Amino acid sequence: MRGRPLIPFAVIAIVGLLLITVLSFVGLNQRDAMQEDEDGNGGEEVTEFDDPVAAGEEMAQQSCIGCHGGDLSGAGSNPDLTNLDLTHDEVVDVILNGQGAMPSMTDNEVEADAIAQYIMTLNE
């Protein structure tokens, strides 16, 4: 081989390292944005909902259907949420603290109350 065969490899290595560095910073920014999305409202504390049942339905559709089925009537070993023998406060407690294999869904009491209100409308 004639010339300097290491120069193209060195250029590729430098470009690769620069690309890794840039993508790392992009990833950090995306992680922060995803964390804000996970918090639901950019980290602001929810104090109340205009329509808690509608808000609870929306949150239940996002969080509960994966395990309890699309109509929340249970799936596999996961219980039917449309036929619960629990009080509103007990449902809020399960949402906040989990029960059995179910993890806690939120640590926000206002959100838990809205989801519980929606679930209780399914049990009427």
Side-chain angles (χ1 to χ4, degrees):
M1 297 187 146
R2 293 184 205 174
R4 299 183 178 186
L6 293 179
I7 290 178
F9 295 112
V11 170
I12 291 172
I14 291 170
V15 170
L17 290 173
L18 288 173
L19 185 61
I20 288 171
T21 304
V22 169
L23 290 177
S24 296
F25 284 110
V26 170
L28 288 173
N29 290 336
Q30 288 178 346
R31 182 183 66 184
D32 292 340
M34 286 174 32
Q35 184 64 39
E36 287 179 8
D37 288 345
E38 267 183 28
D39 292 342
N41 57 3
E44 297 174 14
E45 186 68 25
V46 175
T47 55
E48 64 181 68
F49 293 107
D50 292 333
D51 184 356
V53 174
E57 179 179 11
E58 183 180 328
M59 287 183 277
Q61 291 298 319
Q62 293 172 358
S63 302
C64 304
I65 63 171
C67 297
H68 295 279
D71 58 357
L72 302 179
S73 63
S77 64
N78 299 311
D80 179 359
L81 299 182
T82 64
N83 191 22
L84 291 176
D85 189 26
L86 299 173
T87 66
H88 176 270
D89 291 337
E90 290 171 329
V91 173
V92 170
D93 183 60
V94 170
I95 294 168
L96 289 172
N97 302 311
Q99 180 177 352
M102 179 181 155
S104 69
M105 299 307 296
T106 180
D107 59 355
N108 184 309
E109 291 183 17
V110 175
E111 290 178 359
D113 182 66
I115 295 169
Q117 285 185 43
Y118 169 66
I119 290 172
M120 295 310 289
T121 63
L122 299 175
N123 287 278
E124 293 176 348

